[in-house]
């Protein structure tokens, strides 16, 4: 009875259909995900083009996002390796095929090239690492070469069990023979590999229950050699002369098919046998690689290591502690928390920026729990909000084993070099390295300085040029000839639309329209935009600009502010994307015209340049705590000038990375009555995020000051009231804490009070504050010692926060943006002045203010 034909076309079709369903399931679970494949080709060989087109077609049918990367025949080995490295780093690509042969005019080391493919993306299974894993039987942790894998799939279709069978493999190539031997062996066959030096090949073949041939010699294996009923897999592709064919030749395998099918139980034809399976198994490996990638990068599935603290008593200085800790490399931390290599830009070994492309990847994933740390009304003694933020993150991460991100502001160099000092936390609860954190970091504040001062320069330059030039000269400078033609830029088109001029051809403007377009007519006394510097320099607070003879007598009074007071800093903290930042920067008002019209950066024509200067600053900065938990450091607006919170972007990314059971701990600047209020009413309103818990930080000595304690002078010893037990001052001061708890509860969020303990505090004082906090409505109140003990000293706080995050919460804003002010003055009921201003923008009517 003739052998049953094993059709590779039918089996490959089944495999492709199965893969198509697998991809659909992947997309259902991860809507933004799609397996990615790159086929790299060097040169332009016709046979390679044919094979590649087959692979791309198969990928498209299955739902794999495939790309053909073609390099010219002039490509050098270095250029090929560089291209492979770029694909290796691309997290959207899960399979990389290097199409062989490499058709380059240069000498190329093919082995070196194939081994440069990342093993997890080596869907051909040709790297030494994958080959080594296969030879050791590590089948679940490698990618198997496609042809042997396809052969195994065909053998499975016969229903013949491989286990216990005698298998013979003819050929020992790295692509077919050698991996086929390993694959059969680890599927429990007894395997013999035959080759050109094998003695009595026919006798070896005759003992095979399973025969796989890949020797590259046309019809070498004869039918009479084959054991009756054997499974025969023919991997050969050879061309022999056949005058009956139009091409003069036909394709045959390594086995003489006509005689072999009379002996075998099952046999693959050539063509139509193993060939179609190779492409199918390439696709199978790509889908397998994509599945493994997803499995190892599940949202919230962190594989993080923590740094053990070596606590010392007495506690050394912050800088000594920071420098004594061996920080993890920042790229390692990035991998631990689920960031891909192409989503991270390294700035040395301890800090990195995170690409905003991650937002799209994570957008369908659930958020974690959102915790804001704030404090009682600040005093010169300090409450330790930053230290508590970091200590809480260390406790929840390193000690409670929860996924946790801290999100904090970048400090200004002004306070850092002033009496306040840095903002990295303190003691054993710090962001490290503290020098990097407190100083330049990745240059975000410097970028804001440059962008801000560009606007300032543009304002004064525009006033100067308008004062010294005619309309025509000004217009010709604004719209210069280029190649004999004048063209409006997109920003200038926007200005024309704002002016109601519906023209796009520069030569079409009338003299009156040229005047309106070219002249902003800025009133110098109305300029509100100041120059900035991120250093305290009191002698720049009031200056006179324009004293050079080249400025032709144009002078005016101006001033320098500190950089973090720039509106650009507030924009950075509130922005949600590069395009959103571009629009916000364009709307910034810098002055008014003599007609009373607001002048914006878009009118000045610099909003695009500002965006370019800020294109890197918009990316959050990744650092770590002393105990190895992740921290985003991004933006640093002051709360008394802007809204006093770190960036929305950092919080949003962190909330996705920690997963639904994780926590993001962010800090609101200044006291709860300003930083927390602005966090709720401004940051949460813009971001759409809803907080789960408020942590209110208080200290015994600060509460005593609120209770009427004596004045504290920086650098002088503390009065005895602050270092000795004093219930009278303490209880009076707790009124401040009570009101802050009440304020937070107005927003519908549970409050946990963190009593940041000092060595001078007594047990009775600490107990009193906790008792009064709970009686005021706090969900819980706990003492903390994270400054001296690191995360271990804030575990009780972490547990309270975790419990509070599951408590009922009904977050709400305290006012709507569209609520209008009353039609009569709130200060004088007899005043009938009307207004349409929003209530939050108008406290008093114009008549009252005029008085």
């Amino acid at each position: 009875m003739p052998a049953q034909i094993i059709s590779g076309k039918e089996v490959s079709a089944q495999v492709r259909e199965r893969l198509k369903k697998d991809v659909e399931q992947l997309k259902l679970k991860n809507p933004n995900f799609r397996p990615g494949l790159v086929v790299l080709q060097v040169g332009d060989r016709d046979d390679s083009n044919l094979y590649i087109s087959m692979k791309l077609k198969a990928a498209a049918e299955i739902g794999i996002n495939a790309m053909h990367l073609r390099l010219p025949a002039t490509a050098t080995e270095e250029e090929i390796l560089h291209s492979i490295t770029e694909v290796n780093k691309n997290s959207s690509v899960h399979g990389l095929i290097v199409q062989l042969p490499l058709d380059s005019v240069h000498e190329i080391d093919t082995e070196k090239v194939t081994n440069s493919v990342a093993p997890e993306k080596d869907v051909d299974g040709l790297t030494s690492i994958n080959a080594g894993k296969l030879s050791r039987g590590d089948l679940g942790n490698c990618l198997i070469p496609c042809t042997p894998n396809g052969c195994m799939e065909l053998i499975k279709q016969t229903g013949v069990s491989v286990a216990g069978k005698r298998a013979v493999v003819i050929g020992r190539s790295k692509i077919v023979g050698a991996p086929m031997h390993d694959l059969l062996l680890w599927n429990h066959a007894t395997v013999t590999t035959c080759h050109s030096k094998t003695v009595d090949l026919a006798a070896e073949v005759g003992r095979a229950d399973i025969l796989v041939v890949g020797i590259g010699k046309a019809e070498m294996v004869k039918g009479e050699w084959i054991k009756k009923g054997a499974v025969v897999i023919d991997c050969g592709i050879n061309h022999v002369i056949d005058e009956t064919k139009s091409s003069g030749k036909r394709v045959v395998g390594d086995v003489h098919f006509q005689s072999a099918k009379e002996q075998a139980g099952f046999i693959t034809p050539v063509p139509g046998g193993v060939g179609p399976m190779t492409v199918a198994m390439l696709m199978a490996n790509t889908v397998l690689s994509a599945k493994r990638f997803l499995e190892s990068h599940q949202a919230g599935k962190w594989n993080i290591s923590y740094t053990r603290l070596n606590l010392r008593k007495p506690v050394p200085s912050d800088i000594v502690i920071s420098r004594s800790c061996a920080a993890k490399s920042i790229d390692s931390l990035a991998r631990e928390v689920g960031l891909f290599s192409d989503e991270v830009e390294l700035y040395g070994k301890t800090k990195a920026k995170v690409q905003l492309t991650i937002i799209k990847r994570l957008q369908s994933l659930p958020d974690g729990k959102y915790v804001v740390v704030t404090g009682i009304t600040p005093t010169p003694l300090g409450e330790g909000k930053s230290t508590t933020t970091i200590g809480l993150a260390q406790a929840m991460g390193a000690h409670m084993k929860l996924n946790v991100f801290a999100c904090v502001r970048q400090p200004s160099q002004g306070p850092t070099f002033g009496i306040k000092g840095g903002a990295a936390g303190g003691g054993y609860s710090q962001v490290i390295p503290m020098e990097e954190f407190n100083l330049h970091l990745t240059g975000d504040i410097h970028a804001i300085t440059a962008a801000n001062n560009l606007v300032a320069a543009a304002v004064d330059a525009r006033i100067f040029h308008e004062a010294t030039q005619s309309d025509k000269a000004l217009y010709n400078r604004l719209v210069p000839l280029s190649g004999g033609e004048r063209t409006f830029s997109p920003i200038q088109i926007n200005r024309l639309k704002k002016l109601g001029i519906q023209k796009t051809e520069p030569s079409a403007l009338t003299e009156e329209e040229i005047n309106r377009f070219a002249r902003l007519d800025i009133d110098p006394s109305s300029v509100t935009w100041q120059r900035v510097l991120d250093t305290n320099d009191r002698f720049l607070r009031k200056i006179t600009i324009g004293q050079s003879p080249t400025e032709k007598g144009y002078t005016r009074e101006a001033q320098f502010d500190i950089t973090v007071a720039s509106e650009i800093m507030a924009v950075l903290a509130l922005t949600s994307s590069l395009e959103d930042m571009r629009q916000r920067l364009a709307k910034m008002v810098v002055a008014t015209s003599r007609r009373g019209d607001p002048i914006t950066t878009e009118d000045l024509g610099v909003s695009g340049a500002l965006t370019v200067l800020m294109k890197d600053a918009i990316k959050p900065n990744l650092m770590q705590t002393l105990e190895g938990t992740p921290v985003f450091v991004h933006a640093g607006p002051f709360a008394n000038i802007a809204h006093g919170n770190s960036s929305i972007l950092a919080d949003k990314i962190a909330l996705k990375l920690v997963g639904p059971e994780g926590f993001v701990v962010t800090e609101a600047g200044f006291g709860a009555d300003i930083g927390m209020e602005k966090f709720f009413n401004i940051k949460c309103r813009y971001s759409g995020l809803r907080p789960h818990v408020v942590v209110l930080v208080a200290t015994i000595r600060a509460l005593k000051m609120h209770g009427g304690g004596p004045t504290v002078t920086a650098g002088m010893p503390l009065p005895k009231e602050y270092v000795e037990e004093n219930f009278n001052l303490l209880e009076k001061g707790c009124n401040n804490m009570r009101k802050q708890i009440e304020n937070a509860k107005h927003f519908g969020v549970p409050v946990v009070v963190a009593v940041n303990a000092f060595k001078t505090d007594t047990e009775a004082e600490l107990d009193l504050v906790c008792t009064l906090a709970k009686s005021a409505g706090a969900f819980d109140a706990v003492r903390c010692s994270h400054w001296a003990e690191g995360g271990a000293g804030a575990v009780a706080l972490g547990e309270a926060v975790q419990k509070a995050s599951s408590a009922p919460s009904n977050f709400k804003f305290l006012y709507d943006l569209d609520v209008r002010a009353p039609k009569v003055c709130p200060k004088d009921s007899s005043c009938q002045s009307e207004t349409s201003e929003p209530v939050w923008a108008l406290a008093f009517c114009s008549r009252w203010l005029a008085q």
Side-chain angles (χ1 to χ4, degrees), residues 150 178 232 287 300 328 353 358 394 397 403 462 541 570 597 683 778:
V232 179
V287 173
K328 294 184 287 188
K353 278 195 168 291
I358 191 176
Q394 291 180 177
N403 292 349
R462 190 60 173 264
R541 291 173 183 174
D597 298 326
K683 185 175 182 180

Side-chain angles (χ1 to χ4, degrees), residues 425-438:
Y428 285 103
S429 295
Q430 291 189 56
V431 181
I432 57 168
M434 66 173 290
E435 307 103 299
E436 301 285 346
F437 176 90
N438 283 319

Side-chain angles (χ1 to χ4, degrees), residues 220-477:
M220 187 192 76
V221 176
K222 311 304 179 186
E224 58 268 24
W225 296 2
I226 296 169
K227 182 179 179 180
K228 193 69 175 176
V231 177
V232 179
I233 308 294
D234 189 351
C235 302
I237 299 178
N238 308 282
H239 294 89
V240 296
I241 296 171
D242 189 339
E243 301 295 345
T244 65
K245 303 290 183 181
S246 58
S247 63
K249 55 187 178 181
R250 61 186 171 90
V251 177
V252 298
D254 292 348
V255 177
H256 189 275
F257 182 77
Q258 292 302 324
S259 60
K261 71 177 182 180
E262 300 301 325
Q263 284 288 104
F266 300 89
I267 191 170
T268 58
V270 178
V274 174
M277 292 301 298
T278 301
V279 174
M281 300 319 288
L282 273 172
M283 300 303 115
N285 273 351
T286 302
V287 173
L288 175 61
S289 175
K291 286 180 178 179
R292 288 175 178 173
F293 177 86
L294 275 181
E295 177 63 27
S296 63
H297 292 88
Q298 287 181 28
K301 186 179 179 180
W302 291 6
N303 182 22
I304 186 168
S305 60
Y306 298 106
T307 307
R308 186 175 178 181
L309 294 178
N310 181 22
L311 302 177
R312 290 166 56 189
K313 297 289 174 74
V315 176
S317 68
D318 291 349
I319 190 67
V320 168
I321 293 172
S322 176
R323 289 179 175 175
S324 68
C325 178
K328 294 184 287 188
S329 64
I330 202 67
D331 56 333
S332 297
L333 177 63
R335 286 193 301 271
E336 288 176 346
V337 301
L339 291 164
F340 301 160
S341 60
D342 58 336
E343 293 171 341
V344 178
E345 296 176 7
L346 301 180
Y347 280 66
K349 295 180 179 180
T350 56
K351 53 191 177 180
K353 278 195 168 291
V354 176
Q355 297 272 16
L356 299 191
T357 51
I358 191 176
I359 295 172
K360 183 178 180 181
R361 173 171 73 85
L362 301 177
Q363 65 184 5
S364 64
L365 302 178
D367 288 343
K369 306 291 181 63
Y370 199 26
V371 179
V372 59
V373 176
T374 186
I376 60 173
T377 303
T379 70
L381 294 166
E383 286 64 58
K385 292 191 308 298
S386 299
T387 305
T388 301
T389 299
I390 302 307
L392 175 58
Q394 291 180 177
M396 299 186 89
H399 300 271
M400 296 170 63
K401 309 305 179 187
L402 298 169
N403 292 349
V404 61
F405 241 105
C407 292
V408 297
R409 292 177 296 165
Q410 179 182 355
S412 164
Q413 287 182 178
T416 295
F417 288 114
I419 200 163
K420 177 182 179 295
Y428 285 103
S429 295
Q430 291 189 56
V431 181
I432 57 168
M434 66 173 290
E435 307 103 299
E436 301 285 346
F437 176 90
N438 283 319
L439 300 179
H440 305 286
L441 196 57
T442 57
D444 294 353
I445 291 180
H446 300 317
I448 293 169
T449 303
N452 183 97
N453 292 343
L454 174 67
V455 176
V459 169
D460 289 306
R462 190 60 173 264
I463 295 173
F464 173 80
H465 287 301
E466 288 188 22
T468 57
Q469 296 182 42
S470 66
D471 288 354
K472 184 176 180 182
L474 200 57
Y475 185 71
N476 288 343
R477 285 185 174 228

Side-chain angles (χ1 to χ4, degrees), residues 40 53 58 66 129 146 193 223 237 239 243 265 338 351 369 429 500 507 520 702 722 732 797 833 838:
L40 186 146
S53 67
I129 290 176
C146 300
T193 297
I237 299 178
H239 294 89
E243 301 295 345
K351 53 191 177 180
K369 306 291 181 63
S429 295
S507 62
L520 299 178
Y722 297 112
K732 287 180 182 177
L797 176 61
S833 298

Side-chain angles (χ1 to χ4, degrees), residues 524-543:
S525 66
S526 74
V527 175
T528 56
W529 195 270
Q530 309 298 344
R531 288 163 173 81
V532 298
L533 181 70
D534 198 43
T535 303
N536 290 340
D537 189 344
R538 63 186 305 119
F539 295 97
L540 293 177
R541 291 173 183 174
K542 280 292 181 183
I543 59 172

Side-chain angles (χ1 to χ4, degrees), residues 615-646:
K615 68 180 178 63
D616 290 318
I618 195 174
K619 305 167 189 171
N621 304 294
L622 178 66
M623 295 187 76
Q624 64 190 289
T625 68
L626 283 167
E627 297 192 56
T629 61
V631 182
F632 274 142
V633 186
H634 200 216
F638 285 162
N640 58 340
I641 294 171
H643 66 290
N645 283 266
S646 59

